[in-house]
Amino acid sequence: MPKITSVFSMRHFFVLSLALNVSLILRTMYETEQGLLCYLSKTQKGQTTQRMRLSSSSSSSTSAATTLTEAQDGVERVINLDQGDPTMYEHYWQQVGEKTTVVIRGWQHMSYFSDVSNICWFLEPELAKEIVRVHRVVGNAVTEGRHIIVGTGSSQLFLAALFALSPRDGPEPVSVVSQAPFYSSYPSMTDCLKSGLYKWAGDAQSYSKEGPYIELVTSPNNPDGNVRRSVVNRSEGTLVHDLAYYWPQYTPISSPADHELMLFTVSKSTGHAGMRIGWALVKDLEVAKRMIKFIELNTIGVSKDSQVRATKVLKAVSDSSEHAGSWEGVESFFKFSYRVMAERWKLLREAVNSSRIFSVPEYPPAHCNFLNRVFEPQPAFAWLKCERDIDDCESFLRGHKILARGGKHFGVSPKYVRVSMLDRDNNFNLFVKRLSTILL
Amino acid sequence: MPKITSVFSMRHFFVLSLALNVSLILRTMYETEQGLLCYLSKTQKGQTTQRMRLSSSSSSSTSAATTLTEAQDGVERVINLDQGDPTMYEHYWQQVGEKTTVVIRGWQHMSYFSDVSNICWFLEPELAKEIVRVHRVVGNAVTEGRHIIVGTGSSQLFLAALFALSPRDGPEPVSVVSQAPFYSSYPSMTDCLKSGLYKWAGDAQSYSKEGPYIELVTSPNNPDGNVRRSVVNRSEGTLVHDLAYYWPQYTPISSPADHELMLFTVSKSTGHAGMRIGWALVKDLEVAKRMIKFIELNTIGVSKDSQVRATKVLKAVSDSSEHAGSWEGVESFFKFSYRVMAERWKLLREAVNSSRIFSVPEYPPAHCNFLNRVFEPQPAFAWLKCERDIDDCESFLRGHKILARGGKHFGVSPKYVRVSMLDRDNNFNLFVKRLSTILL
């Protein structure tokens, strides 16, 4: 009997804690603040218990994890799909086993320098090789005639690009624009230090000022998944192509991207967000040198340990693609991730159709040279629209304990929200289940 | 015979290549450019061969490496002691063996998040524990009542501190000052983006403007090794204490540092510069939050891989200190590094005395609570002065193929240069040998 009593108290305590948790989140969420990353820290405190629970379930199997449903304890738990933490990919890397294990000894990679014969002296040569190789294998970017620059995630490279492309002695800060809906961090990252070199100037579609400007082209786009081209098209513009999502699990690879300045990251390609490794492919030598100088001034290079690890992970991605089926029984990374994304989009569309309150974009199918099949884009984020008379979709979903990022952060109507499609199975499955049952 | 011919041609080719190398360096060095880190990339191209040779000798034993003298081939080789690359410490970590080896599996540490229950959500909890422990073991900083913030090296934390301490809506950028000679990167790091929040205002000793300011106090100081306190002392000032060198191999630890905002880094404490891991100890919660926000906007967190590795290395440092002598035959890290630095300073002072052209500062001895002995500071850099009528010490040494960083980069007379004391044995030994033979 004492045992049963103890179990009951634990359960009561858990429900109480969860209720407190939810009320804290709701309170925190109402604090207004601009920018996405502020948002990230804004929501984190209240979600501690939930995140930690997710985290503790990460090593358990999918089937075990999906038994965690909201029916337990009679309390709906909060589903956080606000950030794009790519935890979905953990499953694949668990299957791969020891092939991507890195072993680094205490005396290795201690120096600031990786390769002083390269203008990017902090880039590990082996990482450079695997970057070239993965682009060749996938066919998503031209690397010939490009300088490769490694960064602490593509965020640092984005800032380095702004620094490198800004006129040095312009009469005023250069305008930085992007077509709405744009990545919610662009405005706050650009304006955070009130730089005299560059300044956020909003939606590229309504930009009409003369003179130099920098246009950010994210393709496929975050948040809405559309394939993009530049829209301003004036002679004095320079372009930054953010291609974080130009990989075959998200969109058909129609041709190798061939732009002046392209940004990539392991966060969204392989799911290793915690590594903080991105890379830029840059045609112009002087632009590359200035980006490198920015990284010197900003962080004096990039973690060697993560570069060593990224090398091994990218190698595995290429190996699994080149030897698909025969790679010691392990599936191609992109076949796995394509399959999971296809399944998730199918489930999402079913949920959206059954609720009749929401809609998601339709995408034109295209031929993917890498997978050699025609398919519709299946983006890393769902760009969900609340239909009928729901004006604030973020608040509406929050009322149902689903956290997503509202349209205003992306420069558009609050009728939209961005929902991460890359979370762990249990969270995603709970999300589509709950979405399908929401009634007005 | 063909073999001998081949050896002779190789040798001739090597001499030719070295001569070309030196002329390229000399040409590159004359290109004027402000700032130290620009300087870093400025010198790198010409030094490729030399650096690569150093690098290839790194895994060989000390005795083998020191046989590489300038007498070989009759050509003096270039000794680069411009940067403070702490390669000296590799020896120790080789001796430690597998104790600091890290093994990271492909599916580990993939998420952006380390600990959402901490305001610094990207800080690995185990790293936080080892940071607290190492400061307790060494007695060089108070950690109680402080928020710990991890950064991509202390460089990123320096920029985060400027962001956090700048008044948000001041009428003009806040002045950033430091007593000359100051760390040569401070001006270029501060002014690189022409921020509207803060602006470099030079030597703290001549600073007389009213209103808010930020003073950077580096103690022991880079470049001159002196123990420092703030010098401006006005009510509206805020202080950043850069304590990168406040470790017992460089200076007596007289008491635990107890300031509002303190910066540390593994680069100079354990020698793992390539990890890019630094940490800040911050008393004020709002300042800590703003620093964290800066790192979110700058790089969305800090490499998990390097944090995992830094945890293991700091643990080894504390273990080796707490179990000195009994730690499976491995010497205490600080005893090793203290001993090597003491030996190097002895050799340097002998060389300086025998040449009579140079001088180095004398430092007052003090009691070190950690080592429980009285000793004179033995800084990570030698602050060398050219005496007599040599006005440009950097150029003078360059003529002897020694690369060091001139006083003007540190805001003082070109009669001074900063010389790294942390390079590998063969480079350091060659340096003191050459220095002792320089005649006017």
Side-chain angles (χ1 to χ4, degrees):
Chain A
M1 283 308 283
K3 204 171 171 189
I4 291 170
T5 318
S6 148
V7 167
F8 268 106
S9 340
M10 274 296 286
R11 201 160 167 157
H12 283 126
F13 180 73
F14 175 73
V15 172
L16 198 69
S17 146
L18 213 62
L20 182 67
N21 209 3
V22 170
S23 83
L24 277 170
I25 291 167
L26 293 177
R27 192 183 147 194
T28 321
M29 296 291 292
Y30 278 109
E31 291 168 13
T32 54
E33 196 173 338
Q34 283 302 312
L36 108 96
L37 283 157
C38 327
Y39 197 88
L40 188 146
S41 48
K42 195 175 62 172
T43 56
Q44 82 199 24
K45 285 234 105 174
Q47 293 161 30
T48 305
T49 314
Q50 183 227 358
R51 268 273 158 198
M52 288 175 81
R53 191 142 46 99
L54 284 178
S55 172
S56 66
S57 72
S58 71
S59 57
S60 58
S61 73
T62 314
S63 58
T66 48
T67 59
L68 259 179
T69 70
E70 58 195 353
Q72 288 182 336
D73 307 302
V75 178
E76 279 193 338
R77 71 172 172 87
V78 174
I79 303 170
N80 181 0
L81 296 171
D82 175 77
Q83 294 105 30
D85 203 23
T87 40
M88 171 190 116
Y89 297 108
E90 279 173 353
H91 274 302
Y92 181 80
W93 298 111
Q94 280 163 358
Q95 284 168 30
V96 168
E98 298 300 321
K99 283 191 185 69
T100 48
T101 298
V102 290
V103 177
I104 309 176
R105 276 148 188 113
W107 62 89
Q108 292 180 317
H109 312 290
M110 289 182 69
S111 170
Y112 286 105
F113 298 92
S114 290
D115 178 8
V116 289
S117 69
N118 189 332
I119 57 158
C120 189
W121 54 268
F122 47 82
L123 167 63
E124 287 289 316
E126 291 302 313
L127 176 57
K129 280 185 204 164
E130 292 300 338
I131 286 169
V132 169
R133 183 179 166 218
V134 78
H135 285 307
R136 182 177 50 72
V137 168
V138 176
N140 63 341
V142 173
T143 57
E144 288 79 19
R146 258 71 175 186
H147 304 281
I148 299 175
I149 306 171
V150 66
T152 309
S154 60
S155 301
Q156 187 179 39
L157 292 161
F158 164 74
L159 293 170
L162 294 188
F163 174 76
L165 296 175
S166 300
R168 291 205 202 197
D169 299 305
E172 56 178 3
V174 70
S175 293
V176 179
V177 297
S178 188
Q179 183 184 349
F182 42 71
Y183 174 40
S184 49
S185 285
Y186 286 153
S188 47
M189 289 174 78
T190 306
D191 283 346
C192 135
L193 296 180
K194 294 188 180 174
S195 174
L197 298 177
Y198 46 76
K199 191 177 166 59
W200 178 250
D203 188 356
Q205 281 184 296
S206 55
Y207 182 72
S208 58
K209 208 171 144 189
E210 291 300 314
Y213 66 92
I214 298 171
E215 184 180 348
L216 315 170
V217 182
T218 309
S219 184
N221 190 43
N222 173 2
D224 66 5
N226 285 316
V227 173
R228 285 238 174 134
R229 291 172 185 275
S230 64
V231 298
V232 183
N233 286 328
R234 295 216 198 95
S235 60
E236 291 184 80
T238 48
L239 301 176
V240 175
H241 278 83
D242 184 342
L243 304 180
Y245 303 96
Y246 192 46
W247 296 96
Q249 65 268 54
Y250 306 123
T251 201
I253 304 300
S254 52
S255 64
D258 188 13
H259 309 289
E260 286 279 331
L261 199 166
M262 302 184 274
L263 305 181
F264 290 92
T265 169
V266 294
S267 299
K268 299 305 186 274
S269 54
T270 75
H272 290 83
M275 278 185 191
R276 312 307 314 121
I277 292 291
W279 64 93
L281 304 177
V282 184
K283 213 181 249 182
D284 186 89
L285 176 63
E286 293 309 312
V287 171
K289 278 185 182 169
R290 275 180 64 80
M291 287 180 72
I292 290 159
K293 185 173 164 191
F294 176 85
I295 295 172
E296 287 173 11
L297 291 167
N298 194 234
T299 56
I300 321 186
V302 174
S303 161
K304 302 283 175 280
D305 312 303
S306 286
Q307 289 191 61
V308 167
R309 200 169 164 221
T311 305
K312 200 141 192 177
V313 168
L314 289 180
K315 184 178 183 301
V317 167
S318 293
D319 284 349
S320 77
S321 299
E322 288 193 327
H323 312 295
S326 63
W327 198 51
E328 297 175 43
V330 178
E331 187 178 19
S332 150
F333 172 73
F334 292 117
K335 287 199 176 153
F336 163 89
S337 46
Y338 169 86
R339 189 168 45 76
V340 177
M341 290 305 290
E343 175 65 19
R344 287 188 173 195
W345 271 94
K346 184 173 157 278
L347 291 171
L348 177 71
R349 289 189 188 277
E350 283 170 6
V352 162
N353 290 339
S354 78
S355 86
R356 294 170 181 260
I357 297 173
F358 308 101
S359 67
V360 282
E362 295 292 333
Y363 302 100
H367 183 262
C368 175
N369 296 337
F370 175 79
L371 291 175
N372 195 24
R373 64 191 294 172
V374 171
F375 68 92
E376 290 166 21
Q378 38 192 47
F381 296 104
W383 188 232
L384 201 70
K385 188 180 177 191
C386 277
E387 300 290 348
R388 310 216 201 160
D389 57 351
I390 303 165
D391 290 328
D392 184 344
C393 197
E394 180 182 323
S395 299
F396 178 76
L397 285 175
R398 200 191 306 132
H400 292 276
K401 299 187 186 89
I402 295 169
L403 304 184
R405 193 171 297 166
K408 66 181 177 179
H409 297 285
F410 305 91
V412 296
S413 158
K415 282 187 87 71
Y416 291 89
V417 289
R418 191 195 74 167
V419 180
S420 170
M421 296 290 285
L422 305 182
D423 215 300
R424 295 190 178 93
D425 285 347
N426 59 343
N427 228 20
F428 180 80
N429 292 336
L430 205 50
F431 162 67
V432 287
K433 187 176 164 194
R434 193 176 301 171
L435 202 69
S436 67
T437 58
I438 293 177
L439 298 169
L440 267 190
Chain B
M1 284 306 285
K3 205 173 175 187
I4 291 172
T5 319
S6 148
V7 166
F8 267 104
S9 337
M10 275 298 286
R11 200 158 169 160
H12 284 127
F13 180 73
F14 176 73
V15 172
L16 198 68
S17 144
L18 213 62
L20 181 68
N21 208 6
V22 169
S23 83
L24 277 171
I25 290 166
L26 293 176
R27 191 183 146 196
T28 320
M29 296 293 291
Y30 279 108
E31 290 168 14
T32 53
E33 194 173 338
Q34 285 300 313
L36 105 98
L37 283 158
C38 328
Y39 197 88
L40 187 146
S41 50
K42 195 175 60 170
T43 57
Q44 85 199 20
K45 283 236 107 172
Q47 293 161 32
T48 305
T49 315
Q50 181 226 358
R51 267 273 157 198
M52 287 176 83
R53 190 143 45 99
L54 283 178
S55 170
S56 66
S57 73
S58 71
S59 56
S60 58
S61 73
T62 315
S63 58
T66 48
T67 60
L68 259 179
T69 70
E70 57 197 351
Q72 287 182 338
D73 306 303
V75 177
E76 279 194 338
R77 71 172 173 87
V78 174
I79 304 170
N80 181 0
L81 296 170
D82 175 77
Q83 294 105 30
D85 202 25
T87 40
M88 171 190 115
Y89 297 108
E90 281 174 353
H91 275 301
Y92 181 81
W93 298 111
Q94 280 163 359
Q95 286 168 30
V96 168
E98 298 299 321
K99 285 191 183 69
T100 49
T101 298
V102 289
V103 178
I104 308 177
R105 277 150 186 110
W107 64 90
Q108 292 179 315
H109 311 290
M110 289 183 67
S111 169
Y112 286 106
F113 298 91
S114 291
D115 178 8
V116 288
S117 69
N118 189 332
I119 57 158
C120 189
W121 53 268
F122 48 81
L123 168 63
E124 287 289 316
E126 291 302 312
L127 177 58
K129 279 184 203 164
E130 291 300 337
I131 287 169
V132 169
R133 183 179 166 218
V134 79
H135 285 306
R136 182 177 49 74
V137 168
V138 177
N140 63 340
V142 173
T143 57
E144 289 79 20
R146 258 73 176 184
H147 304 282
I148 299 175
I149 306 171
V150 67
T152 310
S154 60
S155 300
Q156 187 179 39
L157 292 162
F158 165 74
L159 293 169
L162 293 189
F163 173 77
L165 296 175
S166 299
R168 291 207 202 197
D169 298 304
E172 56 176 4
V174 70
S175 293
V176 179
V177 297
S178 188
Q179 183 184 351
F182 41 71
Y183 175 38
S184 48
S185 286
Y186 287 153
S188 46
M189 290 174 77
T190 306
D191 284 345
C192 141
L193 295 180
K194 294 188 181 175
S195 173
L197 299 177
Y198 46 76
K199 191 178 167 57
W200 179 249
D203 187 358
Q205 280 184 298
S206 56
Y207 182 74
S208 59
K209 208 172 144 189
E210 292 300 313
Y213 67 93
I214 298 170
E215 183 180 349
L216 315 170
V217 182
T218 310
S219 185
N221 191 41
N222 173 1
D224 67 4
N226 285 315
V227 172
R228 285 236 173 133
R229 290 171 186 275
S230 63
V231 297
V232 183
N233 285 328
R234 294 215 199 94
S235 60
E236 292 184 79
T238 47
L239 301 176
V240 175
H241 278 83
D242 184 342
L243 304 180
Y245 303 95
Y246 192 47
W247 296 96
Q249 66 268 54
Y250 305 123
T251 200
I253 303 300
S254 53
S255 64
D258 187 14
H259 308 289
E260 286 279 331
L261 198 166
M262 303 183 274
L263 305 181
F264 290 91
T265 168
V266 293
S267 299
K268 299 305 186 273
S269 54
T270 74
H272 290 83
M275 276 185 192
R276 313 309 312 121
I277 293 290
W279 64 93
L281 303 176
V282 183
K283 211 181 251 181
D284 186 90
L285 176 63
E286 293 310 314
V287 170
K289 279 185 183 170
R290 274 182 63 80
M291 288 181 71
I292 290 161
K293 184 174 165 191
F294 176 86
I295 295 172
E296 287 174 8
L297 290 167
N298 195 233
T299 57
I300 322 187
V302 174
S303 161
K304 302 282 176 282
D305 312 303
S306 286
Q307 288 192 61
V308 166
R309 199 170 166 221
T311 304
K312 201 139 191 179
V313 168
L314 288 181
K315 182 177 184 304
V317 167
S318 294
D319 284 350
S320 78
S321 298
E322 287 193 327
H323 313 294
S326 62
W327 198 50
E328 297 176 42
V330 178
E331 187 178 21
S332 149
F333 172 74
F334 292 117
K335 286 198 177 153
F336 163 88
S337 47
Y338 170 85
R339 189 168 44 75
V340 177
M341 290 304 290
E343 175 65 16
R344 289 189 171 194
W345 271 93
K346 185 171 155 282
L347 290 171
L348 177 71
R349 288 189 187 278
E350 283 169 6
V352 162
N353 289 340
S354 78
S355 85
R356 292 170 182 262
I357 298 173
F358 308 102
S359 67
V360 282
E362 296 290 335
Y363 302 99
H367 184 263
C368 175
N369 295 337
F370 175 78
L371 292 174
N372 196 24
R373 65 191 294 171
V374 172
F375 68 93
E376 291 166 18
Q378 38 193 43
F381 295 103
W383 188 233
L384 202 69
K385 188 182 177 190
C386 278
E387 300 290 347
R388 309 217 203 158
D389 57 351
I390 304 165
D391 290 328
D392 184 345
C393 196
E394 181 182 321
S395 298
F396 178 76
L397 284 175
R398 201 192 305 134
H400 293 275
K401 298 185 186 92
I402 295 169
L403 305 184
R405 191 170 298 168
K408 65 180 179 181
H409 297 286
F410 305 92
V412 295
S413 160
K415 283 186 87 67
Y416 290 90
V417 290
R418 191 196 74 167
V419 180
S420 169
M421 296 290 285
L422 304 183
D423 215 300
R424 295 192 178 92
D425 284 348
N426 59 343
N427 228 22
F428 181 78
N429 292 336
L430 205 51
F431 162 67
V432 286
K433 188 177 161 194
R434 194 176 300 170
L435 202 69
S436 67
T437 59
I438 294 176
L439 299 169
L440 269 190

